[in-house]
Amino acid sequence: VDRMGIRKAHGIPDNVFTYITVGRNHPKKGFHVLIKALAELKLILPNDPFHCMFVGRDMNQLKPQAKALGLDESVTFMDEIGASSEDGTYEMPSAPLIRLYRSADACVYPSLLEAHAHINIEAMASGIPVISTDARGVRETIDDGFNGLLATAGDPKSLAEKMAEVQMNSTIRAHLVKNGLTSVRNKYDWPIIVRMFESLYMDLTAE
């Protein structure tokens, strides 16, 4: 991945720690909490710059909140990145989104409620550390301290503290990346998912 080229294309400095968050801007996704957490992160790490990419539908609606908190220079808002002609078949996430994940230093997903937090899985598969929340449907994808870090859902300070922990400690980042990739291979690889569905189907038909 041409990390520098991708960042340059989106106006993001290559020499700052960069987070990515992905999804549709809906209150239950908690992106408004992440904006507050970024303001808290500035207080925790006043001498360590960072940037955060918000990728998804209606993310621009967060601009006024970011501006009010003095975060204009620390955030970039992008529209949804869907299917690409680069993909031979319908692929999610698309190749451009995967490259964007890999251009980041970490993923932060602040959701307050999910059916299944696939963003965390996509980020782990992309080889970047994940910070997320203990919300229902989110915590099931993360083994806290093993393949990601979990903050208290809806708590900007808790989220900022976890982000600072990842940003300032390369050993923790390497640990989370390694175990994240292992988790994806062992739990979410398609052959494994197919076997799980086959097993479930056989159990149901045997009853």
Side-chain angles (χ1 to χ4, degrees), residues 51-63:
H51 201 90
C52 187
M53 299 183 282
F54 289 76
V55 184
R57 193 186 315 164
D58 298 326
M59 286 295 198
N60 279 337
Q61 294 176 2
L62 295 167
K63 279 186 175 181

Side-chain angles (χ1 to χ4, degrees), residues 90-156:
Y90 182 74
E91 299 282 349
M92 292 300 288
S94 64
L97 181 54
I98 291 171
R99 288 197 294 271
L100 204 56
Y101 273 122
R102 289 177 175 169
S103 75
D105 296 296
C107 175
V108 54
Y109 191 56
S111 187
L112 307 179
L113 178 67
E114 291 287 332
H116 187 64
H118 68 274
I119 299 299
N120 289 343
I121 298 165
E122 291 176 0
M124 285 190 282
S126 298
I128 59 176
V130 177
I131 307 108
S132 199
T133 74
D134 61 1
R136 188 175 62 188
V138 183
R139 60 178 177 258
E140 288 80 3
T141 60
I142 297 291
D143 182 355
D144 190 25
F146 178 73
N147 59 5
L149 296 184
L150 293 179
T152 302
D155 185 338

